């Protein structure tokens, strides 16, 4: 039952994923969460985020920011990094992920998702069949509803890591 929340992969940071290797494997579109995945919650894009998106474009990727946040937040960040975006996406609902792939011209076989939350980001990606990367949250300061979800995430991740260690 908990498996539905398991990420395909984990990464310390969105900035440490081998995007070049994934491109060579055939991935062409990346959907990103923003807050606590790319920058601390509510922060503007920093140089690291701008450089990452420029690098991804240089490799040939199409990117899209998928956020449950309001448009002013998402649009501003998207403008700073030069990415498409969808706001009030309704994650973990399927519609935002499907719309994202439609906008990028990709599908479940060549799209991946990068985010920091199991119950919205990863679960939504899994529901539509997209490869998911779970990153560690950038900053510990979060809204109360996220803090509560993090406690439940720790339980799910305990069983996920236990299963991974048995597999080897």
């Amino acid at each position: 039952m908990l498996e539905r929340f398991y990420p395909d992969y984990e990464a310390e940071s969105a900035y440490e994923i081998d995007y070049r290797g994934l491109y060579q494997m055939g991935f062409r579109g990346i959907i990103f969460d923003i807050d606590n995945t790319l920058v601390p919650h509510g922060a503007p894009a920093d140089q690291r985020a701008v450089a990452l998106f420029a690098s991804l474009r240089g490799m040939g990727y199409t990117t899209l920011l998928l956020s449950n946040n309001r448009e002013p937040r998402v649009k501003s960040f998207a403008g700073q990094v030069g990415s498409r975006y969808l706001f009030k996406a309704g994650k973990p609902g399927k519609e935002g992920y499907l719309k994202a792939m439609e906008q990028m011209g990709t599908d479940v076989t060549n799209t991946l998702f990068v985010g920091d939350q199991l119950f919205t980001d990863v679960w939504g990606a899994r529901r539509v069949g997209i490869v998911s990367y779970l990153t560690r949250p950038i900053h510990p300061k979060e809204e109360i509803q996220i803090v509560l979800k993090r406690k439940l995430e720790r339980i799910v991740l305990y069983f996920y890591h236990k299963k991974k260690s048995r597999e080897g």
Side-chain angles (χ1 to χ4, degrees):
M1 174 172 155
L2 294 178
E3 288 86 0
R4 76 179 84 183
F5 303 113
Y6 291 176
D8 293 299
Y9 303 98
E10 284 183 291
E12 279 297 311
S13 162
Y15 300 98
E16 295 178 14
I17 295 171
D18 179 13
Y19 296 107
R20 191 165 305 285
L22 291 164
Y23 191 86
Q24 290 170 351
M25 292 171 57
F27 289 95
R28 296 298 180 262
I30 307 173
I31 304 170
F32 285 96
D33 176 53
I34 300 172
D35 289 321
N36 252 348
T37 298
L38 296 167
V39 293
H41 188 82
D46 56 19
Q47 276 308 112
R48 191 166 67 155
V50 172
L52 172 64
F53 280 77
S55 172
L56 293 171
R57 278 191 302 280
M59 284 181 225
Y61 277 109
T62 302
T63 61
L64 187 137
L65 301 167
L66 187 68
S67 175
N68 287 345
N69 223 316
R70 294 190 193 112
E71 186 173 23
R73 163 70 175 141
V74 183
K75 182 178 183 180
S76 170
F77 194 93
Q80 293 167 334
V81 298
S83 181
R84 299 166 193 229
Y85 69 93
L86 290 171
F87 64 98
K88 285 194 171 183
K91 294 182 292 184
K94 294 179 181 181
E95 188 177 323
Y97 295 84
L98 296 172
K99 216 182 264 188
M101 288 185 286
E102 182 182 320
Q103 280 193 21
M104 292 190 302
T106 61
D107 60 40
V108 297
T109 66
N110 62 4
T111 305
L112 59 106
F113 185 91
V114 180
D116 70 301
Q117 292 188 54
L118 286 179
F119 301 129
T120 51
D121 300 330
V122 170
W123 188 28
R126 287 190 56 94
R127 292 179 73 203
V128 295
I130 300 172
V131 169
S132 62
Y133 274 82
L134 176 69
T135 63
R136 290 200 185 279
I138 288 178
H139 195 276
K141 183 178 182 244
E142 297 180 297
E143 297 171 344
I144 188 65
Q145 71 271 17
I146 296 172
V147 170
L148 296 173
K149 282 194 272 184
R150 294 282 186 211
K151 292 180 186 301
L152 295 172
E153 283 184 355
R154 279 197 286 276
I155 296 166
V156 173
L157 287 172
Y158 168 81
F159 288 105
Y160 169 73
H161 292 134
K162 191 173 177 177
K163 179 183 180 207
K164 293 287 274 188
S165 69
R166 281 195 311 260
E167 293 173 352

